[in-house]
């Protein structure tokens, strides 16, 4: 079906890059599709746009389709994650006042030690910590809950999680509505640039290979339009591969900076693409290799084990059956549809659809379609190992 036009929703974030690049660089056109990209003001509105059929596909928080499958957050049409668009890419930031207290008690803002940063944050908090996240069912929320709980601050009882749309996070910090935040770039850097906050930690310091955003579609649409879905998945894979090339970074920042996308200076966008983050208004910088990943290490593969981890964490927090929730979650990440879409390409795909999460401290070669796939480290900061039920 040549020339199919698809309406695709997104939130103005750096990790929407695969969708933007697929359209702007012609990868969608090569697959015979055109993407009508529609910005949404919040994650709840984007989820509803997809559920109600106002868009065909969406740039979506990885836990959001899992939450729908578990009947959480209002539900709606069954959603599937058919590809991972990005891994990592979040930052944890704090207000200037909280940053000053952290320094006063000796924290060094090394930006790579989740245990040290978390313990310092808990010690510096003068009241119940108010933490801004973009959506209740998001990797931002899951990372914060996991991190603080592992350090002895019971979650959700010990922390006040508040929902703030990403572009408004800096405003919420400035207004004193939150003490800290976890948000995708460039909105953490915006808080630094405007002088209202400082960055404490990259999200990858908590889980070094966390699936951040997925390509989500309605299950009914996937069933009725399998050929178009395959084309869309392939266009995202091509865009992710292009984004992974260092030579693509400058053009990517320029394209994303356009008014219809992020509407920010390319220099701010480039910080996350390069992994060279400015963490304070004084100009202090930290290098974070692999801050956001669009392709390498099977980054686009929707591992069922990652979905199970998300489902288990939600269930533990909300009092649901953990194994049942994990199994329901695993059916949301459709590695089978991803394999079908990329069968005729040069994509090197894992031999399995689930793996033990948290075991890799270093890069490791695994059994794959062409025998050249190398996974990236996927460890949790506290050494947890998660063995999925569906292996």
């Amino acid at each position: 079906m040549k020339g199919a036009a698809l309406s695709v929703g997104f939130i103005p974030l750096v990790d929407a890059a695969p969708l933007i690049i697929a359209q702007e660089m012609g990868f969608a056109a090569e697959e015979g599709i055109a993407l009508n990209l529609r910005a949404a003001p919040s994650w709840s509105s984007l989820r509803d746009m997809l559920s109600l059929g106002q868009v065909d596909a969406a740039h979506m928080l990885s836990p959001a389709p899992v939450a729908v499958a578990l009947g959480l957050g209002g539900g709606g049409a069954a959603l599937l994650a058919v590809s991972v668009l990005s891994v990592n890419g979040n930052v944890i930031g704090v207000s200037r006042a909280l940053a000053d207290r952290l320094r006063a008690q000796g924290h060094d803002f090394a930006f790579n030690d989740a245990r040290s940063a978390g313990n310092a944050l808990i010690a510096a908090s003068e009241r119940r910590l108010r933490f801004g996240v973009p959506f209740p069912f998001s990797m931002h929320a899951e990372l914060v809950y996991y991190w603080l709980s592992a350090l002895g601050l019971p979650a959700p009882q010990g922390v006040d999680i508040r929902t703030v749309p990403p572009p408004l996070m800096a405003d919420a910090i400035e207004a004193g509505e939150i003490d800290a935040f976890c948000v995708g770039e460039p909105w953490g850097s915006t808080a630094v640039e405007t002088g209202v906050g400082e960055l404490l930690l990259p999200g990858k310091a908590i889980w070094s290979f966390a699936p951040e955003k997925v390509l989500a579609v309605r299950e009914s649409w996937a069933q009725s339009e399998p050929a178009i879905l395959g084309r869309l998945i392939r266009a995202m894979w091509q865009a992710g591969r292009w984004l992974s090339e260092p030579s693509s970074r400058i053009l990517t920042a320029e394209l994303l900076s356009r008014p219809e996308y992020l509407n920010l200076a390319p220099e701010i966008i480039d910080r996350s693409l390069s992994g060279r983050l400015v963490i304070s208004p004084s100009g202090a910088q930290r290098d974070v290799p692999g801050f956001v990943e669009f392709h390498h290490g099977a980054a686009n593969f929707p591992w069922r084990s990652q979905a199970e981890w998300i489902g288990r964490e939600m269930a533990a927090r909300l009092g649901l059956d953990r194994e049942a929730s994990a199994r329901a979650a695993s059916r949301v990440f459709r590695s089978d549809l991803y394999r079908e879409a990329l069968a005729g390409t040069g994509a090197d795909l894992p031999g399995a659809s689930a793996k033990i999460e948290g075991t890799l401290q270093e890069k490791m070669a695994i059994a794959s379609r062409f025998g050249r796939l190398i996974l990236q480290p996927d460890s949790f900061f506290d050494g947890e190992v998660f063995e999925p039920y569906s292996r």
Side-chain angles (χ1 to χ4, degrees):
M1 183 177 178
K2 285 287 184 182
L6 301 179
S7 180
V8 183
F10 75 100
I11 296 289
L13 289 158
V14 169
D15 55 32
L19 290 166
I20 296 167
I21 292 302
Q23 180 61 22
E24 294 289 346
M25 297 302 295
F27 298 118
E30 288 177 7
E31 289 291 338
I33 56 178
L35 307 183
N36 174 23
L37 299 178
R38 296 178 54 187
S42 68
W43 288 112
S44 59
S45 62
L46 181 54
R47 178 202 58 191
D48 293 344
M49 287 165 62
L50 182 59
S51 294
L52 297 172
Q54 296 171 357
V55 294
D56 300 306
H59 161 237
M60 186 64 65
L61 300 155
S62 59
V66 172
V68 172
L70 299 184
L72 302 172
L79 304 180
L80 303 177
V82 295
S83 174
V84 175
L85 295 178
S86 63
V87 167
N88 301 328
N90 292 327
V91 290
I92 291 169
V94 296
S95 68
R96 294 293 299 279
L98 188 47
D100 288 343
R101 291 202 297 275
L102 285 163
R103 285 196 184 85
Q105 68 184 26
H107 184 61
D108 60 4
F109 283 80
F111 212 62
N112 59 5
D113 186 338
R115 185 175 298 277
S116 172
N119 286 331
L121 180 62
I122 292 169
S125 301
E126 297 178 333
R127 57 191 170 198
R128 188 180 183 211
L129 193 61
R130 301 170 301 166
F131 228 109
V133 299
F135 195 60
F137 306 112
S138 62
M139 188 52 67
H140 315 87
E142 297 309 325
L143 290 176
V144 169
Y145 282 132
Y146 180 84
W147 176 46
L148 296 179
S149 294
L151 295 175
L153 185 66
Q157 300 87 353
V159 59
D160 180 8
I161 297 290
R162 301 186 177 187
T163 301
V164 181
L168 301 181
M169 205 64 78
D171 294 340
I173 277 278
E174 184 176 23
E177 297 168 359
I178 55 176
D179 308 302
F181 58 76
C182 182
V183 72
E185 280 291 272
W187 301 111
S189 289
T190 300
V192 174
E193 193 71 10
T194 56
V196 301
E198 302 192 23
L199 302 185
L200 178 66
L201 204 66
K204 71 168 296 185
I206 300 171
W207 184 9
S208 58
F209 210 74
E212 176 52 35
K213 302 300 189 308
V214 296
L215 177 66
V217 299
R218 292 182 306 284
E219 185 175 26
S220 59
W221 186 86
Q223 293 170 345
S224 65
E225 299 288 355
I228 299 300
L229 175 61
R231 294 181 182 191
L232 181 59
I233 292 172
R234 287 192 295 273
M236 293 304 103
W237 181 79
Q238 293 280 15
R241 184 170 65 168
W242 185 88
L243 281 161
S244 71
E245 297 297 328
S247 59
S248 302
R249 205 182 77 220
I250 294 175
L251 180 54
T252 298
E254 292 175 352
L255 291 171
L256 267 58
S257 73
R258 291 179 176 177
E260 63 267 35
Y261 300 134
L262 272 63
N263 194 29
L264 288 170
E267 293 76 13
I268 295 178
I269 296 170
D270 184 67
R271 294 178 188 178
S272 57
L273 296 173
S274 67
R276 286 190 286 274
L277 297 175
V278 177
I279 68 166
S280 71
S282 67
Q285 295 187 27
R286 299 290 185 270
D287 288 333
V288 186
F291 173 76
V292 60
E293 181 58 64
F294 296 110
H295 180 72
H296 294 304
N300 308 119
F301 190 78
W303 292 97
R304 292 182 183 271
S305 48
Q306 293 177 338
E308 286 199 28
W309 184 88
I310 293 168
R312 185 200 67 170
E313 291 300 300
M314 287 183 178
R317 187 169 69 253
L318 298 172
L320 306 177
D321 182 274
R322 298 186 187 190
E323 181 175 350
S325 297
R327 291 189 183 279
S330 74
R331 295 190 287 271
V332 172
F333 275 40
R334 294 296 298 271
S335 51
D336 57 329
L337 297 179
Y338 184 81
R339 290 183 190 280
E340 290 173 14
L342 295 176
T345 70
D348 198 8
L349 303 178
S353 294
K355 60 185 176 71
I356 300 175
E357 299 289 340
T359 61
L360 300 183
Q361 303 291 328
E362 305 289 342
K363 295 180 181 181
M364 186 181 78
I366 63 165
S368 63
R369 181 181 177 190
F370 298 123
R372 57 174 185 263
L373 184 58
I374 298 176
L375 296 187
Q376 304 292 308
D378 69 351
S379 57
F380 296 93
F381 85 97
D382 60 345
E384 185 198 37
V385 171
F386 173 67
E387 186 162 354
Y389 299 99
S390 61
R391 292 185 73 217

